[in-house]
Coordinates of all heavy atoms in Angstrom, one line a residue:
P1 N -12.2 2.9 -29.7 CA -12.0 4.1 -28.9 C -13.0 4.1 -27.7 O -14.2 3.8 -27.8 CB -12.2 5.3 -29.8 CG -12.5 4.7 -31.2 CD -12.6 3.3 -31.0
L2 N -12.5 4.6 -26.5 CA -13.3 4.6 -25.3 C -14.0 6.0 -25.2 O -13.4 7.0 -25.6 CB -12.5 4.4 -24.1 CG -11.8 3.1 -23.9 CD1 -10.9 3.1 -22.8 CD2 -12.8 2.0 -23.8
T3 N -15.2 6.0 -24.8 CA -15.9 7.3 -24.6 C -15.4 7.9 -23.3 O -14.8 7.3 -22.5 CB -17.4 7.1 -24.5 OG1 -17.7 6.3 -23.3 CG2 -18.0 6.4 -25.7
E4 N -15.6 9.2 -23.1 CA -15.2 9.9 -21.9 C -15.8 9.3 -20.7 O -15.1 9.1 -19.7 CB -15.7 11.4 -22.1 CG -15.4 12.2 -20.9 CD -14.0 12.8 -20.9 OE1 -13.4 12.8 -22.0 OE2 -13.5 13.2 -19.9
E5 N -17.1 8.9 -20.8 CA -17.7 8.3 -19.6 C -17.1 7.0 -19.3 O -16.9 6.7 -18.1 CB -19.2 8.1 -20.0 CG -20.0 7.5 -18.8 CD -21.5 7.4 -19.2 OE1 -22.0 8.3 -19.9 OE2 -22.1 6.4 -18.8
R6 N -16.8 6.2 -20.3 CA -16.1 4.9 -20.0 C -14.7 5.0 -19.4 O -14.3 4.3 -18.5 CB -16.0 4.1 -21.4 CG -15.6 2.7 -21.2 CD -16.7 1.8 -20.6 NE -16.3 0.4 -20.6 CZ -16.4 -0.4 -19.6 NH1 -17.1 0.0 -18.6 NH2 -16.0 -1.6 -19.7
R7 N -14.0 6.1 -19.9 CA -12.7 6.4 -19.3 C -12.8 6.7 -17.9 O -12.0 6.2 -17.0 CB -12.0 7.5 -20.1 CG -11.6 7.2 -21.5 CD -11.1 8.5 -22.1 NE -11.1 8.5 -23.6 CZ -10.2 7.9 -24.3 NH1 -9.2 7.3 -23.8 NH2 -10.3 7.8 -25.6
K8 N -13.7 7.5 -17.5 CA -13.9 7.9 -16.1 C -14.3 6.7 -15.3 O -13.9 6.6 -14.1 CB -15.0 9.0 -16.0 CG -14.4 10.4 -16.5 CD -15.5 11.4 -16.3 CE -14.9 12.8 -16.9 NZ -15.8 13.9 -16.8
E9 N -15.1 5.8 -15.8 CA -15.5 4.6 -15.1 C -14.2 3.7 -14.9 O -14.0 3.2 -13.8 CB -16.4 3.8 -16.0 CG -17.1 2.6 -15.3 CD -18.1 2.0 -16.2 OE1 -18.9 2.7 -16.9 OE2 -18.1 0.7 -16.2
F10 N -13.3 3.6 -15.9 CA -12.1 2.9 -15.7 C -11.2 3.6 -14.6 O -10.5 2.9 -13.8 CB -11.3 2.8 -17.0 CG -11.8 1.6 -17.8 CD1 -12.1 1.8 -19.2 CD2 -11.9 0.3 -17.3 CE1 -12.5 0.8 -20.0 CE2 -12.3 -0.7 -18.1 CZ -12.6 -0.5 -19.4
V11 N -11.2 4.9 -14.6 CA -10.4 5.6 -13.6 C -10.9 5.3 -12.2 O -10.1 5.0 -11.3 CB -10.4 7.1 -13.8 CG1 -9.8 7.9 -12.7 CG2 -9.6 7.4 -15.1
R12 N -12.2 5.3 -12.0 CA -12.8 4.9 -10.7 C -12.4 3.5 -10.3 O -12.1 3.2 -9.2 CB -14.3 5.0 -10.8 CG -14.8 6.4 -10.6 CD -16.3 6.5 -10.3 NE -17.1 5.9 -11.4 CZ -17.5 6.6 -12.5 NH1 -17.2 7.8 -12.6 NH2 -18.2 6.0 -13.4
L13 N -12.4 2.6 -11.3 CA -12.0 1.2 -11.0 C -10.6 1.1 -10.6 O -10.2 0.4 -9.7 CB -12.3 0.4 -12.3 CG -11.9 -1.1 -12.2 CD1 -12.8 -1.8 -11.2 CD2 -12.0 -1.8 -13.6
V14 N -9.7 1.8 -11.3 CA -8.3 1.8 -11.0 C -8.1 2.4 -9.6 O -7.3 1.9 -8.8 CB -7.5 2.6 -12.1 CG1 -6.1 2.8 -11.6 CG2 -7.5 1.9 -13.4
K15 N -8.8 3.5 -9.2 CA -8.6 4.0 -7.9 C -9.1 3.0 -6.8 O -8.4 3.0 -5.8 CB -9.5 5.3 -7.8 CG -8.8 6.5 -8.5 CD -9.6 7.8 -8.4 CE -8.9 8.9 -9.1 NZ -9.7 10.2 -9.0
N16 N -10.1 2.3 -7.1 CA -10.6 1.3 -6.1 C -9.5 0.2 -6.0 O -9.3 -0.2 -4.8 CB -11.9 0.7 -6.6 CG -13.1 1.6 -6.3 OD1 -13.0 2.5 -5.5 ND2 -14.2 1.4 -7.1
K17 N -9.0 -0.2 -7.1 CA -7.9 -1.3 -7.0 C -6.7 -0.8 -6.2 O -6.1 -1.5 -5.5 CB -7.5 -1.7 -8.4 CG -8.6 -2.5 -9.1 CD -8.8 -3.8 -8.4 CE -9.8 -4.7 -9.2 NZ -10.1 -5.9 -8.5
A18 N -6.4 0.5 -6.4 CA -5.2 1.1 -5.7 C -5.5 1.1 -4.2 O -4.6 0.8 -3.4 CB -4.9 2.5 -6.3
E19 N -6.7 1.5 -3.9 CA -7.0 1.5 -2.4 C -7.0 0.1 -1.8 O -6.5 -0.1 -0.7 CB -8.4 2.2 -2.2 CG -8.8 2.4 -0.8 CD -7.8 3.2 0.0 OE1 -7.2 4.2 -0.6 OE2 -7.6 3.0 1.2
E20 N -7.5 -0.9 -2.6 CA -7.4 -2.3 -2.1 C -6.0 -2.7 -1.9 O -5.7 -3.4 -0.9 CB -8.1 -3.2 -3.1 CG -9.6 -3.1 -3.1 CD -10.3 -3.9 -4.2 OE1 -9.6 -4.8 -4.8 OE2 -11.5 -3.7 -4.5
S21 N -5.1 -2.3 -2.8 CA -3.7 -2.6 -2.7 C -3.1 -2.0 -1.5 O -2.3 -2.6 -0.8 CB -3.0 -2.2 -4.0 OG -3.5 -2.9 -5.1
R22 N -3.4 -0.7 -1.3 CA -2.8 0.0 -0.1 C -3.3 -0.7 1.2 O -2.5 -0.9 2.1 CB -3.3 1.5 -0.1 CG -2.4 2.3 -1.0 CD -2.7 3.8 -0.8 NE -4.0 4.2 -1.2 CZ -4.3 4.7 -2.5 NH1 -3.4 4.8 -3.4 NH2 -5.5 5.0 -2.8
N23 N -4.6 -1.1 1.2 CA -5.1 -1.8 2.4 C -4.4 -3.2 2.6 O -4.2 -3.6 3.7 CB -6.6 -2.0 2.3 CG -7.4 -0.7 2.5 OD1 -6.9 0.2 3.1 ND2 -8.6 -0.6 1.9
A24 N -4.1 -3.8 1.5 CA -3.4 -5.1 1.6 C -2.0 -4.9 2.1 O -1.6 -5.7 3.0 CB -3.4 -5.8 0.2
V25 N -1.3 -3.9 1.7 CA 0.0 -3.6 2.2 C -0.1 -3.3 3.7 O 0.7 -3.8 4.5 CB 0.7 -2.4 1.4 CG1 1.9 -1.9 2.1 CG2 1.0 -2.9 0.0
R26 N -1.1 -2.5 4.1 CA -1.2 -2.2 5.5 C -1.5 -3.4 6.3 O -1.1 -3.5 7.5 CB -2.3 -1.1 5.7 CG -1.9 0.3 5.1 CD -3.0 1.3 5.3 NE -2.6 2.5 4.5 CZ -3.5 3.1 3.7 NH1 -4.8 2.7 3.6 NH2 -3.1 4.1 3.0
G27 N -2.3 -4.3 5.8 CA -2.6 -5.5 6.5 C -1.4 -6.4 6.7 O -1.2 -7.0 7.8
V28 N -0.5 -6.4 5.7 CA 0.7 -7.2 5.9 C 1.6 -6.5 7.0 O 2.2 -7.2 7.8 CB 1.5 -7.3 4.5 CG1 2.9 -7.8 4.7 CG2 0.7 -8.1 3.5
R29 N 1.6 -5.2 6.9 CA 2.4 -4.5 8.0 C 1.8 -4.8 9.4 O 2.6 -5.0 10.3 CB 2.3 -2.9 7.7 CG 3.0 -2.2 8.8 CD 2.9 -0.7 8.7 NE 1.5 -0.3 8.8 CZ 1.1 0.9 8.5 NH1 1.9 1.9 8.2 NH2 -0.2 1.2 8.7
R30 N 0.5 -4.8 9.5 CA -0.2 -5.0 10.8 C 0.2 -6.4 11.3 O 0.6 -6.6 12.4 CB -1.7 -4.9 10.6 CG -2.4 -4.7 11.9 CD -3.9 -4.3 11.6 NE -4.5 -4.6 10.4 CZ -4.7 -3.7 9.4 NH1 -4.4 -2.4 9.6 NH2 -5.3 -4.0 8.2
E31 N 0.2 -7.4 10.4 CA 0.5 -8.8 10.8 C 2.0 -8.9 11.2 O 2.3 -9.6 12.1 CB 0.2 -9.8 9.7 CG -1.3 -10.0 9.4 CD -2.0 -10.5 10.7 OE1 -1.5 -11.5 11.3 OE2 -3.1 -10.0 11.0
A32 N 2.8 -8.3 10.4 CA 4.3 -8.3 10.7 C 4.6 -7.7 12.0 O 5.4 -8.1 12.8 CB 5.1 -7.6 9.6
R33 N 3.9 -6.6 12.3 CA 4.1 -5.9 13.6 C 3.7 -6.8 14.7 O 4.4 -6.8 15.7 CB 3.3 -4.6 13.6 CG 3.7 -3.6 14.6 CD 3.1 -2.3 14.4 NE 3.7 -1.6 13.3 CZ 4.4 -0.4 13.4 NH1 4.6 0.1 14.6 NH2 4.9 0.1 12.3
K34 N 2.6 -7.5 14.6 CA 2.1 -8.4 15.6 C 3.2 -9.5 15.9 O 3.5 -9.8 17.0 CB 0.8 -9.1 15.2 CG -0.4 -8.2 15.4 CD -1.6 -9.1 15.0 CE -2.9 -8.2 14.8 NZ -4.0 -9.1 14.3
D35 N 3.7 -10.0 14.7 CA 4.7 -11.0 14.9 C 6.0 -10.5 15.6 O 6.6 -11.2 16.4 CB 5.1 -11.6 13.5 CG 4.0 -12.4 12.8 OD1 3.1 -12.8 13.5 OD2 4.1 -12.6 11.6
L36 N 6.4 -9.3 15.2 CA 7.6 -8.7 15.9 C 7.3 -8.5 17.4 O 8.2 -8.8 18.2 CB 7.9 -7.3 15.2 CG 8.5 -7.4 13.8 CD1 8.5 -6.0 13.2 CD2 9.9 -8.0 13.9
E37 N 6.1 -8.0 17.7 CA 5.8 -7.7 19.1 C 5.8 -9.1 19.9 O 6.2 -9.1 21.0 CB 4.5 -7.0 19.2 CG 4.7 -5.5 18.8 CD 3.3 -4.8 18.7 OE1 2.3 -5.4 18.9 OE2 3.4 -3.6 18.4
S38 N 5.3 -10.1 19.2 CA 5.3 -11.4 19.9 C 6.7 -11.9 20.1 O 7.0 -12.5 21.2 CB 4.5 -12.4 19.0 OG 4.6 -13.7 19.5
L39 N 7.6 -11.7 19.1 CA 9.0 -12.1 19.3 C 9.6 -11.4 20.5 O 10.4 -12.0 21.2 CB 9.8 -11.8 18.0 CG 9.5 -12.8 16.8 CD1 10.2 -12.3 15.6 CD2 10.0 -14.2 17.2
E40 N 9.3 -10.1 20.6 CA 9.9 -9.3 21.6 C 9.4 -9.7 23.0 O 10.1 -9.9 24.0 CB 9.6 -7.8 21.4 CG 10.5 -6.9 22.3 CD 9.6 -6.0 23.2 OE1 8.4 -6.1 23.1 OE2 10.2 -5.3 24.0
K41 N 8.1 -10.0 23.0 CA 7.4 -10.5 24.3 C 8.0 -11.8 24.7 O 8.2 -12.0 25.9 CB 5.9 -10.6 24.0 CG 5.2 -10.9 25.3 CD 3.7 -11.0 25.0 CE 2.9 -11.4 26.2 NZ 1.5 -11.6 25.9
D42 N 8.3 -12.7 23.8 CA 8.9 -14.0 24.1 C 10.4 -13.9 24.4 O 11.0 -14.9 24.8 CB 8.7 -15.0 23.0 CG 7.2 -15.3 22.7 OD1 6.4 -15.0 23.6 OD2 6.9 -15.8 21.6
G43 N 11.0 -12.7 24.2 CA 12.4 -12.6 24.5 C 13.3 -13.0 23.4 O 14.5 -13.1 23.6
D44 N 12.8 -13.2 22.2 CA 13.6 -13.7 21.1 C 14.3 -12.5 20.4 O 15.4 -12.7 19.8 CB 12.7 -14.4 20.0 CG 12.2 -15.7 20.5 OD1 12.8 -16.3 21.4 OD2 11.1 -16.1 20.0
I45 N 13.8 -11.3 20.6 CA 14.5 -10.1 20.1 C 14.4 -9.0 21.2 O 13.5 -9.0 22.0 CB 13.9 -9.5 18.8 CG1 12.5 -9.1 18.9 CG2 14.1 -10.6 17.6 CD1 11.9 -8.4 17.7
S46 N 15.4 -8.1 21.1 CA 15.4 -7.0 22.1 C 14.5 -5.9 21.7 O 14.0 -5.8 20.6 CB 16.9 -6.5 22.2 OG 17.2 -5.8 21.0
T47 N 14.2 -5.0 22.6 CA 13.4 -3.8 22.4 C 14.0 -3.0 21.3 O 13.3 -2.5 20.4 CB 13.2 -3.0 23.6 OG1 12.6 -3.9 24.6 CG2 12.2 -1.8 23.4
D48 N 15.3 -2.8 21.3 CA 16.0 -2.1 20.2 C 15.8 -2.7 18.9 O 15.6 -2.1 17.9 CB 17.5 -2.0 20.5 CG 17.8 -1.0 21.6 OD1 16.9 -0.2 22.0 OD2 18.9 -1.0 22.2
D49 N 16.0 -4.1 18.8 CA 15.7 -4.8 17.6 C 14.3 -4.6 17.1 O 14.1 -4.4 15.9 CB 16.0 -6.3 17.7 CG 17.5 -6.6 17.9 OD1 18.3 -5.7 17.5 OD2 17.8 -7.7 18.4
L50 N 13.4 -4.6 18.0 CA 12.0 -4.4 17.7 C 11.8 -3.0 17.0 O 11.1 -2.9 16.0 CB 11.1 -4.5 18.9 CG 9.6 -4.2 18.7 CD1 8.9 -5.1 17.8 CD2 8.9 -4.1 20.1
R51 N 12.3 -2.0 17.7 CA 12.2 -0.6 17.1 C 12.8 -0.5 15.7 O 12.3 0.1 14.9 CB 12.8 0.4 18.1 CG 12.2 0.4 19.4 CD 10.7 0.9 19.4 NE 10.1 0.6 20.7 CZ 9.0 -0.2 20.8 NH1 8.4 -0.7 19.7 NH2 8.5 -0.4 22.0
R52 N 14.0 -1.1 15.6 CA 14.7 -1.0 14.3 C 13.8 -1.8 13.2 O 13.6 -1.3 12.1 CB 16.1 -1.7 14.3 CG 17.1 -0.7 14.8 CD 18.5 -1.3 14.6 NE 18.8 -2.4 15.5 CZ 19.3 -2.3 16.7 NH1 19.5 -1.1 17.2 NH2 19.5 -3.4 17.5
A53 N 13.3 -2.9 13.6 CA 12.5 -3.7 12.6 C 11.2 -3.0 12.3 O 10.8 -2.9 11.1 CB 12.2 -5.1 13.2
E54 N 10.6 -2.3 13.3 CA 9.4 -1.5 13.0 C 9.7 -0.4 12.1 O 8.9 0.0 11.2 CB 8.7 -1.1 14.3 CG 8.0 -2.2 15.1 CD 7.5 -1.7 16.4 OE1 7.9 -0.7 17.0 OE2 6.5 -2.4 16.9
A55 N 10.8 0.3 12.3 CA 11.2 1.4 11.4 C 11.4 1.0 10.0 O 10.9 1.6 9.1 CB 12.4 2.1 12.0
E56 N 12.0 -0.2 9.8 CA 12.2 -0.7 8.5 C 10.9 -1.1 7.9 O 10.7 -0.9 6.7 CB 13.2 -2.0 8.6 CG 13.4 -2.7 7.3 CD 14.2 -1.8 6.2 OE1 14.7 -0.8 6.6 OE2 14.2 -2.3 5.1
L57 N 10.0 -1.7 8.7 CA 8.7 -2.1 8.2 C 7.9 -0.9 7.7 O 7.3 -0.9 6.7 CB 8.0 -2.8 9.3 CG 6.6 -3.5 9.0 CD1 6.8 -4.5 7.9 CD2 6.1 -4.1 10.3
D58 N 8.0 0.2 8.5 CA 7.3 1.4 8.1 C 7.9 2.0 6.8 O 7.2 2.5 5.9 CB 7.4 2.5 9.2 CG 6.5 2.1 10.4 OD1 5.6 1.3 10.2 OD2 6.7 2.7 11.5
R59 N 9.2 1.9 6.7 CA 9.9 2.4 5.5 C 9.4 1.6 4.3 O 9.1 2.2 3.2 CB 11.4 2.3 5.6 CG 12.2 3.0 4.5 CD 13.7 2.7 4.6 NE 14.0 1.3 4.3 CZ 14.0 0.7 3.1 NH1 13.6 1.4 2.1 NH2 14.3 -0.6 3.0
L60 N 9.4 0.3 4.4 CA 9.0 -0.5 3.3 C 7.5 -0.3 2.9 O 7.1 -0.2 1.8 CB 9.2 -2.0 3.7 CG 10.6 -2.5 3.7 CD1 10.7 -3.9 4.3 CD2 11.2 -2.5 2.3
T61 N 6.7 -0.1 4.0 CA 5.3 0.2 3.7 C 5.1 1.5 2.9 O 4.4 1.5 1.9 CB 4.5 0.3 5.1 OG1 4.6 -1.0 5.8 CG2 3.0 0.6 4.8
K62 N 5.8 2.5 3.3 CA 5.7 3.8 2.6 C 6.2 3.7 1.2 O 5.6 4.3 0.3 CB 6.5 4.9 3.4 CG 5.8 5.3 4.7 CD 6.6 6.3 5.4 CE 5.9 6.7 6.7 NZ 6.7 7.5 7.6
T63 N 7.3 2.9 1.0 CA 7.8 2.7 -0.3 C 6.8 2.0 -1.2 O 6.5 2.5 -2.4 CB 9.1 1.8 -0.3 OG1 10.1 2.5 0.5 CG2 9.6 1.6 -1.7
H64 N 6.1 1.0 -0.7 CA 5.2 0.3 -1.5 C 3.9 1.1 -1.8 O 3.3 1.1 -2.9 CB 4.8 -1.1 -0.9 CG 5.9 -2.1 -1.0 ND1 6.2 -2.7 -2.2 CD2 6.8 -2.6 -0.1 CE1 7.2 -3.5 -2.1 NE2 7.6 -3.4 -0.8
E65 N 3.5 1.9 -0.8 CA 2.3 2.8 -1.0 C 2.7 3.8 -2.0 O 1.8 4.2 -2.9 CB 1.9 3.4 0.3 CG 1.2 2.5 1.2 CD 0.8 3.1 2.5 OE1 1.3 4.2 2.9 OE2 -0.1 2.5 3.2
A66 N 3.9 4.3 -2.0 CA 4.3 5.3 -3.0 C 4.3 4.7 -4.4 O 3.9 5.3 -5.4 CB 5.7 5.9 -2.7
E67 N 4.8 3.5 -4.6 CA 4.7 2.8 -5.8 C 3.3 2.6 -6.4 O 3.0 2.8 -7.5 CB 5.4 1.4 -5.7 CG 6.9 1.5 -5.6 CD 7.6 0.2 -5.3 OE1 6.9 -0.9 -5.3 OE2 8.8 0.2 -5.1
I68 N 2.4 2.3 -5.5 CA 1.0 2.1 -5.8 C 0.4 3.4 -6.3 O -0.2 3.5 -7.3 CB 0.2 1.6 -4.6 CG1 0.6 0.1 -4.3 CG2 -1.3 1.7 -4.9 CD1 0.0 -0.4 -3.0
D69 N 0.8 4.5 -5.6 CA 0.3 5.9 -6.0 C 0.9 6.3 -7.3 O 0.1 6.9 -8.1 CB 0.7 6.9 -4.9 CG -0.2 6.7 -3.6 OD1 -1.2 6.0 -3.7 OD2 0.3 7.2 -2.6
E70 N 2.1 6.0 -7.6 CA 2.7 6.3 -8.9 C 2.0 5.6 -10.0 O 1.8 6.1 -11.1 CB 4.2 6.0 -8.9 CG 5.1 6.9 -8.0 CD 6.5 6.5 -7.9 OE1 7.0 5.7 -8.7 OE2 7.2 6.9 -7.0
A71 N 1.8 4.3 -9.8 CA 1.1 3.5 -10.8 C -0.3 4.0 -11.0 O -0.8 4.1 -12.2 CB 1.0 2.0 -10.4
L72 N -1.0 4.4 -10.0 CA -2.3 5.0 -10.1 C -2.3 6.3 -10.9 O -3.1 6.4 -11.8 CB -2.9 5.3 -8.7 CG -4.2 6.1 -8.7 CD1 -5.3 5.4 -9.4 CD2 -4.6 6.4 -7.2
D73 N -1.4 7.1 -10.6 CA -1.3 8.4 -11.3 C -1.0 8.2 -12.8 O -1.6 8.8 -13.7 CB -0.2 9.3 -10.7 CG -0.5 9.8 -9.3 OD1 -1.7 9.7 -9.0 OD2 0.4 10.2 -8.6
A74 N 0.0 7.3 -13.1 CA 0.3 7.0 -14.5 C -0.8 6.4 -15.2 O -1.1 6.8 -16.4 CB 1.5 6.0 -14.5
K75 N -1.6 5.5 -14.6 CA -2.7 4.8 -15.3 C -3.8 5.8 -15.5 O -4.5 5.8 -16.5 CB -3.2 3.6 -14.5 CG -4.2 2.8 -15.2 CD -3.8 2.4 -16.6 CE -3.1 1.2 -16.8 NZ -2.9 0.8 -18.2
T76 N -4.0 6.7 -14.5 CA -5.1 7.7 -14.6 C -4.8 8.6 -15.8 O -5.7 8.9 -16.6 CB -5.2 8.5 -13.3 OG1 -5.6 7.6 -12.3 CG2 -6.3 9.6 -13.4
V77 N -3.6 9.1 -15.9 CA -3.2 10.0 -17.0 C -3.4 9.2 -18.4 O -3.9 9.7 -19.3 CB -1.7 10.4 -16.9 CG1 -1.2 11.1 -18.2 CG2 -1.6 11.4 -15.7
E78 N -2.9 8.0 -18.4 CA -3.0 7.2 -19.6 C -4.5 7.0 -20.0 O -4.8 7.1 -21.2 CB -2.4 5.8 -19.4 CG -2.5 4.8 -20.6 CD -2.0 3.5 -20.2 OE1 -1.1 3.3 -19.3 OE2 -2.5 2.5 -20.8
L79 N -5.4 6.7 -19.1 CA -6.8 6.5 -19.4 C -7.5 7.8 -19.9 O -8.3 7.8 -20.8 CB -7.5 6.0 -18.2 CG -7.3 4.5 -17.9 CD1 -7.8 4.1 -16.5 CD2 -8.0 3.6 -18.9
L80 N -7.1 8.9 -19.2 CA -7.8 10.2 -19.5 C -7.3 10.8 -20.8 O -8.0 11.5 -21.5 CB -7.7 11.2 -18.4 CG -8.5 10.8 -17.1 CD1 -8.3 11.8 -16.0 CD2 -9.9 10.6 -17.4
E81 N -6.0 10.5 -21.2 CA -5.5 11.0 -22.4 C -6.0 10.2 -23.6 O -6.3 10.7 -24.7 CB -4.0 11.0 -22.4 CG -3.3 12.0 -21.6 CD -1.8 11.9 -21.6 OE1 -1.3 11.0 -22.1 OE2 -1.2 12.8 -21.0
G82 N -6.2 8.9 -23.4 CA -6.8 8.1 -24.4 C -5.9 8.0 -25.6 O -6.2 7.6 -26.7

């Protein structure tokens, strides 16, 4: 059995991992956005295509961040209930 202090320590660890995951997702979004802007600049895609792709990218980013938050909440509850 885990002590209360140890449980809180694990919760802190899980929160740190969740933040690292959110940052990783944002990093992927940033790189993808650069690639899209480069394609538009080179004339490979239209401005409308760029806007649609950016909107989809933002939607996917929010979806993944929400999944990370849900996992964090579930794990926090699990750890604190013990």
